[in-house]
Amino acid sequence: MGIFRNREQLLSHGNIEGRQIVLDILEAGLASGDPYENVKKALRIENGKLLIGSDEFPLGPMTRCSAAYPRPFPPAPLAFDLDRIGHIYLVGGGKAAQRQAEAVEDILGDLICEGHVNAKKGDRVALKRATVTLAGHPNPDEDSVAGARRIVEIEQKAQPGDIVIMSESGGGTALMTLPAPGLTLQDVQDTNRILYLEHGAPMPVANAVRFLITTLRQKHSRFVGDATLIMLSTDERPPETPEVLLKPRSVSDEYEHAIYLLKEYGCWDEIPEAVRQHLLRKDPAYGTLRQEEWYDKPHFRIRVMGPEYMLEAAELRARALGLQGTVLASSMSNLEARVVGDAMGHIGNEVARYGRPFQAPCAFMLGGELVVNAGPGAGQGGRNSEFVVGASLRIAGNRRIEIGASDSDGSDGPTCYAGGIVDGYTVERATDAGLDVGEALRAHDTCGLLCSLGDAFDTGILKTNVQDLRVIYVGAES
């Protein structure tokens, strides 16, 4: 079975040939986001030694932006004699964390003395040496907290000579939620819901706040101490993608920045009072990880997966199908999903009518994560379903255009579907079924609309997290 479990349904109507092409491109890209094989390249046993890192997967700083920390890192691989290693611990959290940990277990087996990983509810427990907590996402729950506490307990056991392998990826902020002292899980849930789900703040903005009100995410060095820490990371963004956040000159520290962002997105007066007071106290003990906390310790990050693998595979598949395949933007993020969908519909029409900026038949792809400013009381929708439904109005009646979008983790926003597909028949089919496309967009119930039309993607949990893949296909003129 392929990635789309309801493929037969998706190909039962509309422009079947064009839909087949879009699904093939999406499947090629999504399959390439699996981090398992890359972990086995970055971590291996040879001649009685544990080798960590390689030329392809070098050792890097605990923070993402290496240019800010010009520390000379040791050449990869690090080599450890198996008979001289103390304890090896395996911990982690995130949507790709369990899949990466599967590879670590397959490499190290009984060398792992203890471990715990937080994965997303709906995933299956696949680990044998480490225990697993299935936790809440996108909003954390009690299991997120319980599993996070177990991870900290294990990390605090590590001593010099021990190795802690940390498997982390996007989604870990919710899945490993440990509220800062004085805050409750409800405080964190309410802040996350108001800022991210209701006001449509992009993930970098949400994280600028959430990292300050929790005590584990991006702060593992504080608990591991002088043991060796190896963070295996599936990165949501392409390499060297800058994080552009609103930051006026008057903002002097990360707490002031978080407060500024909450006010900018209209959330400051809505979030819990306890969170406001926590941010106003500016306690450095609960801020993000400082350079001195890991700089002179054997703590390293190895990036084993990123969106570029997914995008390259999608582009190659499009070209193998005889199309002009182009990645239009590797990380188009933080824009309103329905607006970007409408814009991509415009470009599709331009290609079909005038042969510009691409000659049909062609497919162009987008990565990144869009946003949905849903507000309270929204229906069932996500950024990928909003993207394609937003595009459907613009391409209505054009029988040459198909547009599909999927979240790489298999779950689009708060739904159990990954996204969906539309074509020039979609609006007509919706009208015939008594469905209102415009109202679905206004109510942010686009997943419900796609399900009713048989156009929502059923993939299940995909065990990775490298943002989204969006494909716009324009067929040749008949």
Side-chain angles (χ1 to χ4, degrees), residues 54-73:
S54 66
D55 290 341
E56 184 178 1
F57 301 103
L59 304 169
M62 295 301 294
T63 58
R64 186 175 187 274
C65 300
S66 58
Y69 302 100
R71 166 188 174 185
F73 288 92

Side-chain angles (χ1 to χ4, degrees), residues 94-95 98-99 119-126 134 461 463:
K95 299 175 191 175
Q98 190 176 197
R99 183 58 172 161
K120 183 178 177 179
K121 277 185 165 65
D123 200 354
R124 67 179 182 88
V125 175
L134 298 180
I461 299 292
K463 296 180 178 292

